[in-house]
Amino acid sequence: MNLAFLQLPMVLFTTLAPMASGAFIGLAIAFLTTRFSSERLERIDRWTLLPLGIFAAGFVAALWPSLVSQGMSGALRDFGVGGLAMEPAVSLAGLAFASLAVVYWIIALTGNLDYRARSVFATAVGAGALVLSFAIGMPFAGSAALSWGSLLAAIGLMGLCAAGGVPLGVLVVALGGGLAEARGTRFASASMIAAFVGVVAAIFGIASQMLYAQSVAAVLASGAEAVSGSWVYLAISIVGFVVMLACLRTTFSPDRTASLGRTAGAAAAVPVRDRGGVRPVGARSAVPLLVGGNVAVLAAIFAARLVFYVLLV
């Protein structure tokens, strides 16, 4: 486990970047399935800064060791040449995605996108998130490490992108007050399917790596374990994914939640300008549920990435 904590900057990067970029998958699903009012779109666009900020935090985490030891110029130099355990292709893919996402956000925020163009642009950014996750995983897939050297490393990261990104995208829609308009559309079913497929791909990638690492360890030393207690982290990851799916399912239940907080605590967490209409008192809020689901899936992804770095055989 010490190896994983030595790689903590990259653990954080490969946790935050796929999840934050994957939020655009959730937003693309929302725009493809629901026609929001202009007022709701304006609020959703403002809250899109949330995943962009998390994405930036992921890169800061990766750059942090060089920032501390070499300062900004050294960190940027390392970033540009693929330092910090990042290949040049990963650096370029990250910059390309960030540029695409920021351009989308700025154009959408200024109101210069009609609905069809918005849907197409958001879908392109969501597809870019999957490409970025694949690019992050490919250097591991090409590694000489037996437990990393397969496409499962890239597929697992793409799964984490969808599993973590979709609930974050739904949270953005909820914070923008858009869940009420999304009810009665295919947004709920499409989001649940996308998140579930991501969870299956992520768990398949993690479990396959663990089984392969264990088989290699057993060949090298009879009865040996690849990493003692690694199954505990897999269990934590699975529990986090299940909690996230349960929160999503409850959020989309029309009889149990409100699109924005209808409790005093939830209302306080949302700016007044983003609260629309009169809400009946006492209904369960969707925002705290989605925040809880996102925290759960963040913990699940973090545990999965710890296991990945630990299982270096």
Side-chain angles (χ1 to χ4, degrees):
M1 189 56 68
N2 288 336
L3 176 61
F5 286 108
L6 287 173
Q7 291 286 343
L8 188 58
M10 290 307 296
V11 172
L12 291 173
F13 169 70
T14 55
T15 296
L16 297 176
M19 179 177 176
S21 61
F24 288 92
I25 299 174
L27 290 174
I29 293 172
F31 299 141
L32 290 170
T33 58
T34 308
R35 193 168 188 86
F36 296 101
S37 64
S38 57
E39 180 187 3
R40 290 288 180 260
L41 288 175
E42 183 181 347
R43 294 172 179 174
I44 291 170
D45 290 337
R46 285 200 297 265
W47 280 103
T48 302
L49 186 60
L50 174 62
L52 291 175
I54 296 173
F55 185 80
F59 270 89
V60 170
L63 289 167
W64 188 252
S66 284
L67 282 171
V68 172
S69 62
Q70 304 177 48
M72 180 62 74
S73 60
L76 292 176
R77 183 179 62 252
D78 281 349
F79 179 75
V81 300
L84 305 169
M86 288 200 294
E87 295 288 331
V90 176
S91 303
L92 291 175
L95 290 173
F97 174 83
S99 301
L100 183 65
V102 169
V103 168
Y104 160 80
W105 178 64
I106 292 174
I107 296 176
L109 200 62
T110 56
N112 292 320
L113 279 178
D114 62 36
Y115 211 89
R116 182 182 295 274
R118 170 188 291 273
S119 300
V120 171
F121 205 160
T123 300
V125 181
L130 292 174
V131 172
L132 172 62
S133 295
F134 186 80
I136 294 173
M138 282 308 295
F140 298 112
S143 169
L146 296 177
S147 57
W148 288 0
S150 75
L151 282 177
L152 289 175
I155 293 172
L157 272 169
M158 293 173 73
L160 294 175
C161 175
V166 169
L168 183 56
V170 175
L171 176 61
V172 170
V173 173
L175 289 168
L179 281 189
E181 294 181 11
R183 288 212 171 92
T185 69
R186 292 175 295 169
F187 178 54
S189 58
S191 297
M192 287 296 299
I193 291 170
F196 181 76
V197 170
V199 167
V200 171
I203 292 176
F204 176 74
I206 301 164
S208 298
Q209 183 198 8
M210 291 183 68
L211 289 171
Y212 186 76
Q214 180 58 44
S215 65
V216 172
V219 169
L220 295 176
S222 179
E225 285 190 58
V227 176
S228 178
S230 57
W231 290 99
V232 174
Y233 291 89
L234 176 60
I236 292 172
S237 187
I238 292 174
V239 168
F241 288 133
V242 170
V243 170
M244 177 273 292
L245 291 172
C247 289
L248 267 187
R249 180 67 185 88
T250 305
T251 295
F252 290 132
S253 176
D255 298 328
R256 301 184 68 180
T257 61
S259 62
L260 262 178
R262 299 187 186 179
T263 63
V270 180
V272 173
R273 66 175 182 270
D274 287 349
R275 304 175 195 171
V278 178
R279 301 174 179 82
V281 177
R284 185 179 300 176
S285 170
V287 172
L289 276 172
L290 287 169
V291 170
N294 276 275
V295 170
V297 79
L298 179 63
I301 297 173
F302 183 76
R305 298 310 298 166
L306 280 178
V307 171
F308 180 85
Y309 278 97
V310 164
L311 295 175
L312 179 58
V313 178

